[in-house]
């Protein structure tokens, strides 16, 4: 697994982290912005077309495979690569080729809020790097982050291992060279939080009604340390959560 790239030229390198400094791992979609208000529909539609064109199947079969591979591997393109020899970079570029700024929806003052949060901030997303950069730019968040970890960086022994892979989380610990207790994962997806918690990381579940699977979340899961609705809530109450 490759180390995260620096988000910008003046970002602090990992080696500059202070002992016991909190390292924040932030998910992207439905964590830093509400992807369910348009972006996920755009991605799903582009992926459906991409699967249909790549495999020569109809749209219904393409949608079935899109979901099956996402549930099984954490990313549709992994299934396409493993079972059909598809090129990951080509598929990801096609799937995320749409106008991001017009679809962005996020809480106000997000950049200001995150700047107030002490610690080293990394983006950890199963999305491709170029898309993640466009989203962060649209949110004015790119200068806020010290590094970006996208799906291109999540390769172990020649295979993609995106969240919720335990192997990914173990490699993240090795790359970060930090105690698990000093790392906080902020996520909307419980299965990703579970992997982090099993290794001793702190976990914060950002919950928003109306986002995928929100109806399945009843109360706080045992592997969630804290549950919030907005980033501002995290910033206001940390570290008293």
């Amino acid at each position: 697994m490759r180390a995260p790239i620096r988000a910008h030229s003046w970002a602090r390198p990992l080696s500059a982290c202070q002992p016991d400094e909190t390292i924040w791992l932030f998910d992207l979609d439905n964590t830093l912005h509400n992807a369910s208000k348009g972006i996920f529909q755009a991605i799903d539609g582009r992926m459906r077309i991409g699967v249909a064109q790549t495999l020569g199947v109809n749209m219904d079969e393409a949608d079935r495979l899109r979901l099956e591979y996402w549930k099984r591997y954490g990313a549709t393109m992994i299934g396409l690569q493993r079972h059909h020899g598809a090129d990951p970079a080509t598929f990801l570029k096609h799937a995320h080729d749409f106008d991001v700024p017009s679809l962005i929806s996020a809480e106000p003052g997000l950049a200001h809020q995150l700047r107030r949060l002490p610690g080293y901030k990394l983006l950890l997303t199963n999305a491709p790097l170029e898309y993640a950069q466009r989203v962060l730019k649209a949110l004015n968040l790119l200068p806020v982050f010290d590094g970006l970890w996208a799906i291109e960086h999540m390769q172990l022994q020649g295979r993609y291992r995106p969240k919720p892979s335990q192997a990914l989380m173990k490699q993240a610990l090795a790359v970060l060279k930090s105690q698990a207790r000093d790392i906080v994962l902020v996520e909307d997806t419980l299965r990703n939080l579970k992997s982090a918690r099993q290794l001793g990381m702190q976990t914060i579940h950002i919950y928003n009604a109306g986002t995928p699977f929100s109806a399945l979340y009843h109360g706080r899961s045992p592997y969630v340390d804290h549950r919030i609705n907005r980033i501002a809530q995290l910033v206001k109450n940390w570290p008293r959560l």
Side-chain angles (χ1 to χ4, degrees):
M1 176 179 167
R2 305 206 317 267
I5 67 164
R6 294 175 70 179
H8 43 83
S9 60
W10 60 92
R12 286 188 298 152
L14 274 170
S15 58
C17 287
Q18 301 300 310
D20 300 325
E21 182 178 12
T22 300
I23 295 179
W24 296 94
L25 302 179
F26 280 92
D27 178 47
L28 180 61
D29 294 331
N30 274 346
T31 297
L32 294 177
H33 70 109
N34 188 344
S36 295
K37 283 200 171 182
I39 281 187
F40 274 166
Q41 290 90 330
I43 293 174
D44 289 350
R46 298 287 299 173
M47 281 194 175
R48 193 158 45 242
I49 295 170
V51 172
Q53 292 177 344
T54 299
L55 304 183
V57 298
N58 62 37
M59 296 299 282
D60 288 341
E61 177 64 5
D63 205 37
R64 185 189 71 78
L65 289 170
R66 175 185 68 83
L67 285 168
E68 177 184 330
Y69 292 153
W70 175 73
K71 290 176 182 178
R72 184 173 178 182
Y73 299 113
T76 298
M77 70 88 172
I78 296 177
L80 291 177
Q81 180 193 39
R82 291 188 185 179
H83 298 287
H84 310 281
D87 177 59
T90 300
F91 178 77
L92 288 174
K93 183 177 181 180
H94 176 273
H96 296 83
D97 184 17
F98 57 89
D99 182 42
V100 165
S102 66
L103 298 175
I104 285 289
S105 174
E107 62 186 275
L110 188 56
H112 171 71
Q113 292 291 343
L114 284 173
R115 284 192 181 95
R116 295 175 53 206
L117 192 66
Y120 194 91
K121 302 178 185 72
L122 294 171
L123 189 78
L124 183 68
T125 177
N126 285 359
L129 178 62
E130 192 271 340
Y131 162 79
Q133 290 172 323
R134 282 190 288 141
V135 172
L136 290 182
K137 286 178 181 177
L139 293 168
N140 296 316
L141 290 182
L142 198 55
V144 175
F145 280 86
D146 295 294
L148 310 179
W149 239 329
I151 196 165
E152 292 94 335
H153 305 99
M154 299 176 182
Q155 295 187 56
L156 303 171
Q157 299 177 336
R159 282 197 162 191
Y160 285 96
R161 303 284 187 183
K163 297 179 291 183
S165 168
Q166 273 282 306
L168 166 72
M169 292 301 181
K170 289 177 181 178
Q171 285 295 315
L173 278 176
V175 171
L176 294 173
K177 298 179 181 179
S178 180
Q179 297 295 316
R181 66 174 180 270
D182 295 326
I183 301 173
V184 186
L185 177 62
V186 184
E187 265 271 0
D188 71 298
T189 304
L190 285 178
R191 62 180 181 173
N192 298 341
L193 293 166
K194 183 177 182 180
S195 293
R197 192 68 184 87
Q198 288 172 338
L199 294 177
M201 297 181 190
Q202 300 181 65
T203 55
I204 296 179
H205 180 208
I206 185 158
Y207 170 87
N208 291 293
T211 58
F213 314 117
S214 60
L216 303 177
Y217 300 155
H218 300 290
R220 200 177 84 197
S221 299
Y223 42 85
V224 169
D225 293 316
H226 308 288
R227 177 169 150 167
I228 61 174
N229 297 102
R230 296 175 298 112
I231 296 296
Q233 183 181 350
L234 164 65
V235 176
K236 179 180 179 181
N237 295 289
W238 185 262
R240 301 185 305 278
L241 275 173

